[in-house]
Amino acid sequence: MKKEHRILADYLKQKGLKQTYQRFFILDKFLAAKRHLSADELHAMVREQNPKIGFSTVYRTLKLFTECGLAKEVNFGDGRARFERAIDRSQHGHLICANCGKAEEFTLGSVEKTIARIASRHGFKIERFRFKIYGLCKKCR
Amino acid sequence: MKKEHRILADYLKQKGLKQTYQRFFILDKFLAAKRHLSADELHAMVREQNPKIGFSTVYRTLKLFTECGLAKEVNFGDGRARFERAIDRSQHGHLICANCGKAEEFTLGSVEKTIARIASRHGFKIERFRFKIYGLCKKCR
DNA sequence: ACTATCATGATAGTGATACTCAAAATCAAT
DNA sequence: ATTGATTTTGAGTATCACTATCATGATAGT
């Protein structure tokens, strides 16, 4: 059993929720994706193999993934939430192209100490942070 | 004449747009605000003294301010765009409280070099960047 | 003052997200 | 395996922020 299936299964049990076919099917599709997906885009992928699964279910399931730490919601300013894998991934920022809309990632190792220092100076308790650079990617510039 | 009025007036002239009462009235209200405002919130402030001014005008005028560099659009993840002054202000990030929703600011001086380095490594042309830390502020923690 | 053009403000439209509910699925207890 | 309580699903609808439309009104050059 995949690590991510285990995490989802445990979370469902802990919360008294049910292990449904849809939830694990959507999880597999989500993990297979290479890009940052919106609920709409993931639904399109899911529906290719499984046209019965509705948008609502995909949408709610993505929220569920976010709750149990399997996914992170990211927002690139185009008015639709996107989701990315959040297991076994180091902190990273996004380079978002204004032309093609694709998002590259960059590691944040060198910035993390700075972030911690800033927060403590303001008496602020960090839950999470987002670092985004908007501009033009190599291809589009 | 205020510096910001000058900037707006020049921009309007350059673009062949008209100098209207509303545009300058909204600008004054915008500049007087201490917080990060949404179009809705600014409209509420404007309407106190001037109930005739509609939401559409406030909304469009904020876009106009953004075009001419008087304002910046920021998004704190609550699904509504907010605007902040952008003249004579150094680059800064935001500390956004998950409880009260208020946003403090922090300076980014030490991070800017890092950002430039990251971008050049990816062949990415920076237009702008956003650095946001979500968590609990001093009061709410 | 006249006229072309732009701006305004009310209304309606759009798209993403969130809610509702009847029918179906899950799961613990028998 | 059957039952029954409870959750989930999927379709439809509602809501919210934002955007477009358009008739009326304001602006600015002549």
Side-chain angles (χ1 to χ4, degrees):
Chain A
M1 191 191 218
K2 268 188 205 165
K3 184 178 181 180
E4 288 86 355
H5 280 223
R6 169 101 275 137
I7 291 169
L8 178 57
D10 288 351
Y11 182 80
L12 294 173
K13 183 166 280 180
Q14 175 215 322
K15 287 275 181 181
L17 304 175
K18 294 179 177 170
Q19 323 259 330
T20 66
Y21 167 72
Q22 288 90 332
R23 283 172 175 163
F24 290 92
F25 184 85
I26 293 168
L27 179 55
D28 280 334
K29 287 289 151 197
F30 173 67
L31 294 173
K34 295 283 174 290
R35 303 178 299 111
H36 298 87
L37 294 176
S38 66
D40 223 30
E41 288 166 339
L42 182 56
H43 180 227
M45 290 176 56
V46 163
R47 135 164 286 182
E48 277 177 26
Q49 280 180 47
N50 212 323
K52 290 277 194 67
I53 294 178
F55 172 78
S56 303
T57 301
V58 173
Y59 175 80
R60 284 182 296 224
T61 304
L62 277 170
K63 292 276 171 196
L64 185 70
F65 293 169
T66 306
E67 278 170 43
C68 68
L70 284 167
K72 270 187 188 168
E73 191 175 327
V74 288
N75 211 296
F76 297 156
D78 62 348
R80 58 209 299 214
R82 289 166 186 281
F83 297 83
E84 65 180 18
R85 294 183 55 178
I87 291 288
D88 297 331
R89 305 208 59 211
S90 59
Q91 287 281 15
H92 59 269
H94 293 105
L95 294 155
I96 301 140
C97 182
N99 187 243
C100 67
K102 293 243 172 66
E104 293 174 69
E105 298 182 351
F106 62 88
T107 54
L108 273 173
S110 55
V111 196
E112 284 186 69
K113 272 174 217 147
T114 315
I115 295 170
R117 187 153 25 84
I118 289 163
S120 79
R121 195 154 45 205
H122 284 77
F124 198 87
K125 185 173 182 296
I126 299 180
E127 281 176 1
R128 62 185 208 281
F129 58 85
R130 293 280 184 271
F131 197 167
K132 289 179 280 191
I133 301 177
Y134 297 90
L136 292 173
C137 72
K138 213 169 195 168
K139 268 188 196 161
C140 295
R141 67 186 298 178
Chain B
M1 192 188 216
K2 268 189 204 165
K3 184 177 183 180
E4 288 87 355
H5 280 222
R6 168 103 275 137
I7 291 169
L8 178 56
D10 288 352
Y11 182 78
L12 293 174
K13 183 166 279 178
Q14 175 214 321
K15 287 275 181 179
L17 304 174
K18 295 183 176 166
Q19 323 259 329
T20 67
Y21 167 71
Q22 288 90 332
R23 282 169 175 166
F24 290 93
F25 184 85
I26 293 168
L27 179 54
D28 280 333
K29 287 289 150 197
F30 174 66
L31 294 173
K34 295 283 174 289
R35 304 179 298 111
H36 299 86
L37 294 176
S38 66
D40 223 29
E41 288 166 339
L42 183 55
H43 180 227
M45 290 177 55
V46 164
R47 136 165 285 182
E48 277 176 27
Q49 279 179 49
N50 212 323
K52 290 277 194 66
I53 294 178
F55 172 79
S56 303
T57 302
V58 173
Y59 174 80
R60 284 183 296 227
T61 304
L62 277 169
K63 291 275 173 198
L64 184 70
F65 293 168
T66 305
E67 279 170 42
C68 66
L70 284 168
K72 270 188 187 167
E73 191 175 328
V74 289
N75 210 295
F76 297 155
D78 62 349
R80 59 210 297 214
R82 290 165 187 279
F83 296 83
E84 65 180 17
R85 295 184 53 179
I87 290 288
D88 296 331
R89 307 209 55 212
S90 59
Q91 288 280 15
H92 58 269
H94 293 105
L95 294 155
I96 301 139
C97 181
N99 186 243
C100 68
K102 294 243 172 67
E104 293 172 72
E105 299 183 349
F106 61 88
T107 54
L108 273 172
S110 54
V111 194
E112 284 185 69
K113 271 174 216 150
T114 315
I115 295 169
R117 187 153 24 86
I118 289 164
S120 80
R121 194 152 48 203
H122 284 78
F124 197 88
K125 185 174 181 297
I126 298 180
E127 280 175 1
R128 63 185 207 282
F129 58 84
R130 292 281 183 271
F131 196 167
K132 288 178 281 191
I133 302 178
Y134 297 89
L136 292 173
C137 70
K138 214 170 196 169
K139 268 189 198 162
C140 296
R141 67 187 298 179

